[in-house]
Amino acid sequence: MSTTRACPPPDGPGPEAGDAASAGSPAPAEAARSLRLVGVGGAVPLSRDFTRQALYDWGWLPARSADHRAAAEDVLLVVSELVTNACLHADGPEELCVSRSGKTLRLEVSDLGAGTPAPRTPHRAGRPGGHGMFIVQRLCLDWGVVRRSEGVGKTVWAELAGPS
């Protein structure tokens, strides 16, 4: 796990969830989008839907092959795990940022939690629960935590490779 790389700033303001779908026209090809999650019910499915729309707009979906489908499913699974962790361990997520650079996709989930996520070791596949960060570690190129300079809160980020 790397914790030294700062989160990149978005290339511009991202649309709110549903903007591309409700506008009836193709979404702009912006490189980053963010979704505010403070006080939102159903944060996990909302985050998955938001990320799925970005994958459609950026050409990752519809999947052209089994490899493309697996890459998109990995992204959606990692989003679910990161947002679920924020819900369970950090009083809920504040924001989800999805950005792309070439064939790399970066997910960031910000929260006000003080804890540090880490894969459970040793990992025991037969036990219920506790697999989230193990899954993130296995599916991602890299991931880490950036603490806020003002003290409270953090951003957990993960980077995934695009389909080959």
Side-chain angles (χ1 to χ4, degrees), residues 24-37:
S25 60
E30 74 280 345
R33 297 177 178 195
S34 60
L35 174 66
R36 197 85 177 124
L37 293 168

Side-chain angles (χ1 to χ4, degrees), residues 137-156:
Q137 183 178 39
R138 295 287 298 216
L139 294 179
C140 295
L141 297 170
D142 200 6
W143 72 277
V145 179
V146 177
R147 295 262 168 226
R148 293 193 185 150
S149 59
E150 58 271 9
V152 179
K154 66 185 175 297
T155 298
V156 180

Side-chain angles (χ1 to χ4, degrees), residues 51-129:
T51 303
R52 185 180 293 110
Q53 185 61 53
L55 295 177
Y56 271 103
D57 293 344
W58 293 338
W60 285 43
L61 291 173
R64 296 185 299 274
S65 68
D67 287 343
H68 284 85
R69 185 171 24 272
E73 288 173 0
D74 287 352
V75 168
L76 296 174
L77 178 55
V78 170
V79 163
S80 295
E81 294 299 340
L82 295 179
V83 174
T84 296
N85 275 357
C87 290
L88 294 175
H89 306 294
D91 295 326
E94 286 192 314
E95 185 174 46
L96 165 66
C97 180
V98 182
S99 59
R100 65 184 170 105
S101 176
K103 286 196 167 237
T104 302
L105 189 104
R106 183 175 174 109
L107 305 169
E108 301 173 5
V109 176
S110 299
D111 63 53
L112 292 174
T116 300
R120 231 184 233 175
T121 53
H123 180 257
R124 294 191 177 115
R127 286 189 144 168

